[in-house]
Amino acid sequence: FPYTSDSEQFPEGMVSITSCEALVSRLGSVIISSKLGSGRRLFVVPTTHIIKAYTSQIVPEVKDALQLIKNKYNDQMPSMIAALTGPSRTADIEKTLVTPAHGPRDIFVFLIDDSAR
């Protein structure tokens, strides 16, 4: 993959590699926030998103993910918290289903076992 640090010009077919705040097992969701250091655009613009996560980030419910975030940031909560649960879809235009409407087509999660820490 070609690398660019230019945040103004994203290449076509861009791949992003980021971390996450939590993984929600009940929904199969990846919880992200604006405090991850990659900003907001890396979760929407690229066509492929690679996420590095740890086993300690797996929680059963969204409420548990929000508690992890609250414990991590205390009074400095992120301005944006979102759940990624597959490609977005819309049928707003002429009732025709479009997927992905925005965001990545493919999401890959690399799970690192940190239970021995």
Side-chain angles (χ1 to χ4, degrees):
F1 301 111
Y3 172 78
T4 181
S5 61
D6 183 357
S7 64
E8 298 301 315
Q9 303 218 350
F10 292 124
E12 182 69 30
M14 180 182 162
V15 174
S16 64
I17 302 173
T18 69
S19 58
C20 68
E21 298 290 358
L23 302 170
V24 179
S25 61
R26 180 177 175 95
L27 303 175
S29 297
V30 178
I31 306 299
I32 54 139
S33 84
S34 56
K35 289 235 178 176
L36 289 172
S38 52
R40 297 174 186 215
R41 289 190 291 175
L42 282 184
F43 300 111
V44 178
V45 175
T47 56
T48 301
H49 191 156
I50 298 170
I51 298 167
K52 177 185 80 168
Y54 294 94
T55 54
S56 62
Q57 293 177 298
I58 300 172
V59 296
E61 303 281 348
V62 172
K63 67 179 181 175
D64 303 308
L66 293 174
Q67 187 62 52
L68 274 181
I69 294 169
K70 185 176 180 184
N71 293 345
K72 181 177 178 181
Y73 297 111
N74 297 312
D75 294 334
Q76 301 294 315
M77 290 293 283
S79 61
M80 183 271 305
I81 298 171
L84 305 176
T85 311
S88 63
R89 307 152 44 117
T90 185
D92 289 348
I93 302 170
E94 298 180 12
K95 308 255 188 248
T96 303
L97 183 62
V98 176
T99 185
H102 55 80
R105 279 189 302 250
D106 300 304
I107 298 174
F108 299 94
V109 176
F110 285 84
L111 189 60
I112 300 164
D113 185 0
D114 64 346
S115 60
R117 288 167 100 183

